[in-house]
Amino acid sequence: MLPFASLTSSRQLTPDIISGLFVAIDNMATIVAEQGTSTLLQDKVVALLFFEPSSRTMLSFQSAAQRLKAGTIFAQSASTTSFEKGESLEDLIQIVNGYADIIVMRHSQPGSAEVAAQVSDAPFINAGDGGNEHPTQSIIDSYTIHKHRGRLDNLNVVFGFDSLQSRSIHSLSRLLAQYEGNRFTFTGPQELWPSSELLSELRAAGAQCDCVSEVDYRDNFDVVYVNRLQEERFADTTLFEANRRKYRITRDNIEGCDALLLDPLPRIDEIATEVDALENAVYFKQASYGVPVRMALLALLLGKINL
Ligand code: NCD
C-alpha cells in the first residue's frame, strides 16, 4: 500500500515514501535476480495506455507486469483508440476501469494525468503527461543516485539542457527539493531554463537554484543530469535547430569530473558516445532499474505489498 491511490506527480514522493519504496525496489531486484518471476500479481490486469512515443517506459512497465505474472492490455497511440472519433479522456478511463485493475498512461497533454486519476476508480500511474511530470522516472533517477552516491541530500546537481520542457527534470528536481541542502544549477540556453513557477516552487521547498549558460563540470558537482532538447515540444523550431548540438557532454569537457552522469534517455545529441565508457556514466544502468522500480510501484498500488 501507498498513502495515495494514484501517482501523478513527484510532489507526492516524500523522503519517507522514497525510503520505503527503495526497500521494495531492492526486493523486486532480488526476485528478478534469483527467480526471474513471481506470481504476486497473477490475478491482476495492467492497462498500458501510451498516447505518446515511448520505449523504456512502456517496455519496462510491460516487463515489470510480466515478471509479476500480471496480464497486460495495450492502447498504443491515439490513432488506434476512439480518441480519433472524439471520445473524451474521462470516458476512456471509465471504460478501461472495466477492463483492468490499474492504469498506466502516457499522454501529450500536461495535466491529463490529474484528470484521468480523478475519474479513475482503479489506481492510476502517470507515465508522462506532456512537458509536465514523469514521476516514475524520478523514482528511477533518485534510486540510481542513492545506489551510486549513498544519499539524496546535500547534493550539488547540474540539470541540462532543456529544463523548461523536460518532464524528467521537473519531476526529479521536485523530488530532490524535498531533501535538505540540495543545490541545483540549471544550464543550457537561457530560453530553456526552468519556468519562474518551477524555480519559485523549488526555492520555497528549500533548494538553492541557479541558472547559467555554461558550467565547468569539474566544479565539485555530485550529479550531472542531462536530457535531450525536447524537440516535439518546441513551438519555435528555429530555437531547437539553433541549440541542438550546442550543448553536449564530451570526453573533453567531462574529463576530470567525477559526478554521476545521468540521462533518462533517449540520447540524441546531449552526450557523445565516447563518454559511455567512463565509470561515472551510469545512464544505461539507470534505465535497467526501470523494471524493479515499476514492479514495486505496481505491487504497492495494487495493495499486494506494504511500505
Ligand atoms: C523521457 C520522457 O519520455 O520524458 N524518456 C523516458 O521516459 N525515459 C525523456 C525524453 O523523452 O527525453
Side-chain angles (χ1 to χ4, degrees):
M1 292 288 282
L2 280 165
F4 42 77
S6 292
L7 176 62
T8 56
S9 164
S10 67
R11 293 185 188 98
Q12 296 167 267
L13 300 168
T14 61
D16 275 356
I17 290 173
I18 285 292
S19 302
L21 258 170
F22 285 179
V23 175
I25 296 164
D26 285 339
N27 291 339
M28 292 300 170
T30 304
I31 289 176
V32 174
E34 290 180 1
Q35 300 141 243
T37 61
S38 142
T39 54
L40 195 62
L41 299 185
Q42 63 181 349
D43 58 339
K44 300 294 182 188
V45 172
V46 180
L48 299 164
L49 312 180
F50 279 81
F51 303 129
E52 252 197 345
S54 175
S55 309
R56 276 148 292 273
T57 307
M58 191 184 69
L59 289 174
S60 60
F61 262 116
Q62 193 181 8
S63 172
Q66 290 188 3
R67 291 216 181 260
L68 295 175
K69 299 287 176 198
T72 49
I73 57 171
F74 274 107
Q76 277 189 289
S77 77
S79 60
T80 59
T81 67
S82 299
F83 270 161
E84 290 282 291
K85 302 178 192 165
E87 186 174 39
S88 71
L89 176 60
E90 288 91 332
D91 282 6
L92 180 79
I93 294 295
Q94 289 180 75
I95 299 303
V96 178
N97 277 180
Y99 302 160
D101 301 294
I102 187 164
I103 300 177
V104 178
M105 183 183 81
R106 170 169 288 191
H107 193 286
S108 59
Q109 206 56 44
S112 53
E114 203 51 60
V115 171
Q118 293 287 336
V119 295
S120 185
D121 292 331
F124 174 90
I125 301 176
N126 179 10
D129 60 332
N132 183 35
E133 283 249 15
H134 196 353
T136 68
Q137 183 66 46
S138 73
I139 301 171
I140 297 170
D141 300 340
S142 56
Y143 181 76
T144 311
I145 297 170
H146 191 261
K147 217 170 173 58
H148 295 262
R149 283 291 178 270
R151 63 178 202 278
L152 292 177
D153 58 2
N154 295 299
L155 292 168
N156 201 355
V157 186
V158 176
F159 285 108
F161 297 106
D162 183 355
S163 302
L164 182 68
Q165 303 174 114
S166 163
R167 55 191 174 202
S168 299
I169 293 180
H170 299 165
S171 290
L172 180 60
S173 59
R174 282 184 172 126
L175 187 156
L176 290 177
Q178 301 183 50
Y179 289 79
E180 292 285 308
N182 284 334
R183 182 177 167 186
F184 306 148
T185 304
F186 296 96
T187 190
Q190 186 164 356
E191 295 91 336
L192 301 180
W193 290 351
S195 66
S196 52
E197 290 82 8
L198 180 62
L199 285 173
S200 308
E201 180 186 333
L202 298 174
R203 286 179 177 133
Q208 188 183 324
C209 299
D210 298 296
C211 299
V212 296
S213 308
E214 273 178 48
V215 290
D216 182 345
Y217 297 106
R218 287 167 205 87
D219 281 352
N220 226 7
F221 292 113
D222 300 296
V223 176
V224 174
Y225 188 98
V226 292
N227 192 190
R228 70 186 171 97
L229 301 197
Q230 304 284 293
E231 180 177 5
E232 67 277 29
R233 308 200 197 287
F234 278 78
D236 173 7
T237 52
T238 54
L239 180 63
F240 169 71
E241 291 300 339
N243 288 293
R244 59 179 308 178
R245 284 183 69 90
K246 227 161 130 182
Y247 295 86
R248 186 170 166 82
I249 304 228
T250 61
R251 276 268 189 166
D252 271 354
N253 63 23
I254 208 75
E255 204 88 80
C257 158
D258 62 1
L260 206 58
L261 271 177
L262 300 182
D263 186 332
L265 305 176
R267 177 233 311 268
I268 306 298
D269 295 315
E270 72 282 8
I271 304 181
T273 51
E274 68 205 18
V275 174
D276 299 358
L278 297 180
E279 212 175 303
N280 51 333
V282 294
Y283 25 91
F284 292 114
K285 196 121 202 73
Q286 175 189 1
S288 76
Y289 298 140
V291 174
V293 164
R294 289 168 172 137
M295 289 167 77
L297 268 177
L298 290 173
L300 281 161
L301 284 170
L302 284 166
K304 293 287 191 177
I305 57 172
N306 289 311
L307 273 188

